Amino acid sequence: METSRILHKKIRDVFSETGKVVIGQERLINRLLIGLFTGGHILLEGVPGLAKTKTINTLAKVLDLGFNRIQFTPDLLPADLVGTMIYNQKSGDFEVKKGPIFANLILADEVNRAPAKVQSALLEAMAEKQVTIGDESHQLDRPFMVMATQNPVEQEGTYPLPEAQVDRFMMKVFVDYLNKNDELEMVRKIANLNENYVPKPILDKEEIAAIGQEINRITISEMLERYIIELVFATRRPAEYGLKDEARYIQFGVSPRAGISLYNAAKALAYFDERDYVLPEDIKALVHDVFNHRIILNYEAEADGLTTREVIDNVLKRVAIGR
């Protein structure tokens, strides 16, 4: 109990310390921490200038973790990501020169601008927590989390992400503009040169691992477990749940990984609220983030202006707890 109390206080301190540098992105920080503590990866979408990079960089300092930002471009090569073999003239042997993927937190900026071979190398790192250089596999340091950004405005020169890779992201988080008060506070901070504030480290790797273990012990009732499964199946067989319009529009429902992600994320959200059990509200709060990038709509939905958000809203309305 004493350990839990200390860790809960440290999580509150992480939010507080990060908030000294980043204004108005509490939800984004919350989702990034959920991903980190449960071993998931996060896909971020938002226009430039919303402090995505600053948030992740600040979080890395507060968590005392290694951080690398990789700008994805059409000419990026797999070796630029994972590293390569170089010849050492003194020893006469080839040696491994590790790439920027060897860090705890990776920001893959504009991930959809890189070609397929680079995406394949990133997918191996995300899925296996390892990379292959030459003929050898190299384990990545733990914790390891990829946070990838997509720019929804400039789509020219982009490559669609493979569905298998998109599914590897635990959540897709839409980062929106700040409200007026938060934007005013941000302007004041920058104007007062508080940009130079260096955040203090709050958690270390051992404590991050301990929080992950505590999250695993959070209980979730069988009724809520079945609720998660019903939500998943409602995206695959919408007609059986009275979602006749959605049955016309959904090409593919969510994968089994969606249920696992929602299950783990709900437990983490309960832990952040200092509960040892999951509530229905935890699940409902996370469904959009977990499902929105996994539901694939057909061309008819696009023509009719239907969005995945509307589909998920209707699923939540139709699927009852204890169904």
Side-chain angles (χ1 to χ4, degrees):
M1 289 296 292
E2 181 63 20
T3 301
S4 294
R5 189 183 63 80
I6 293 171
L7 292 176
H8 278 127
K9 182 183 183 304
K10 289 205 169 192
I11 290 174
R12 292 195 299 271
D13 290 343
V14 166
F15 279 97
S16 174
E17 190 66 18
T18 308
K20 293 177 182 177
V21 178
V22 181
I23 307 299
Q25 296 293 2
E26 291 81 5
R27 180 174 171 274
L28 172 58
I29 296 167
N30 178 283
R31 300 309 191 253
L32 291 174
L33 289 176
I34 288 175
L36 180 69
F37 294 143
T38 60
H41 307 286
I42 307 296
L43 183 60
L44 307 176
E45 185 164 304
V47 298
L50 297 181
K52 297 185 293 291
T53 303
K54 179 184 284 291
T55 301
I56 296 165
N57 195 1
T58 302
L59 201 57
K61 292 175 182 176
V62 173
L63 299 173
D64 199 21
L65 296 174
F67 167 76
N68 277 329
R69 176 183 176 272
I70 306 169
Q71 180 65 50
F72 278 52
T73 56
D75 60 350
L76 195 72
L77 298 173
D80 298 327
L81 183 71
V82 303
T84 188
M85 304 290 291
I86 60 171
Y87 182 71
N88 187 323
Q89 290 183 328
K90 290 183 179 179
S91 66
D93 294 323
F94 283 92
E95 297 177 351
V96 173
K97 178 176 171 53
K98 293 182 177 180
I101 198 73
F102 286 88
N104 301 113
L105 300 182
I106 300 296
L107 174 59
D109 222 352
E110 295 192 285
V111 67
N112 53 336
R113 291 198 179 276
K117 286 186 177 180
V118 177
Q119 301 294 353
S120 178
L122 181 63
L123 179 59
E124 181 190 6
M126 293 169 60
E128 309 296 336
K129 303 290 196 297
Q130 69 174 28
V131 296
T132 302
I133 305 174
D135 295 329
E136 294 185 11
S137 295
H138 300 265
Q139 295 295 319
L140 297 169
D141 194 15
R142 306 295 177 91
F144 175 75
M145 182 170 71
V146 172
M147 296 146 293
T149 69
Q150 289 188 124
N151 184 345
V153 177
E154 300 173 15
Q155 292 301 319
E156 190 174 336
T158 62
Y159 298 80
L161 294 180
E163 291 174 15
Q165 183 170 357
V166 172
D167 192 41
R168 285 286 173 183
F169 287 100
M170 182 182 198
M171 291 183 280
K172 180 179 180 180
V173 181
F174 291 96
V175 186
D176 206 350
Y177 289 109
L178 303 179
N179 61 43
K180 292 179 182 178
N181 291 333
D182 286 339
E183 189 134 353
L184 176 60
E185 186 179 350
M186 178 193 68
V187 170
R188 285 171 175 166
K189 276 203 169 187
I190 294 175
N192 292 326
L193 301 178
N194 284 339
E195 284 270 282
N196 297 323
Y197 177 78
V198 178
K200 297 179 294 185
I202 304 294
L203 287 170
D204 56 31
K205 292 180 182 179
E206 289 73 22
E207 289 169 324
I208 291 170
I211 289 171
Q213 292 170 0
E214 294 223 330
I215 289 172
N216 284 337
R217 290 194 284 268
I218 298 294
T219 59
I220 178 167
S221 68
E222 183 179 350
M223 180 180 68
L224 292 183
E225 288 177 333
R226 292 189 177 276
Y227 179 53
I228 290 173
I229 299 303
E230 295 292 345
L231 290 171
V232 167
F233 271 74
T235 69
R236 298 179 192 166
R237 304 173 185 172
E240 295 180 12
Y241 293 79
L243 296 161
K244 295 181 180 178
D245 289 337
E246 284 68 20
R248 285 176 34 228
Y249 293 127
I250 297 177
Q251 186 172 358
F252 295 105
V254 301
S255 69
R257 195 173 280 116
I260 297 168
S261 296
L262 186 54
Y263 189 94
N264 290 331
K267 295 205 302 188
L269 200 59
Y271 184 79
F272 289 174
D273 282 346
E274 301 185 27
R275 285 181 275 108
D276 60 1
Y277 56 91
V278 173
L279 293 173
E281 288 72 22
D282 298 323
I283 296 169
K284 292 176 181 178
L286 292 159
V287 170
H288 283 90
D289 295 326
V290 174
F291 281 12
N292 60 35
H293 57 301
R294 292 183 165 101
I295 294 176
I296 299 176
L297 302 179
N298 57 26
Y299 290 111
E300 189 178 354
E302 186 176 345
D304 290 347
L306 187 73
T307 65
T308 53
R309 170 165 287 278
E310 292 171 309
V311 169
I312 296 168
D313 284 339
N314 292 335
V315 166
L316 284 169
K317 290 175 185 175
R318 296 294 301 184
V319 178
I321 299 171
R323 183 181 187 273

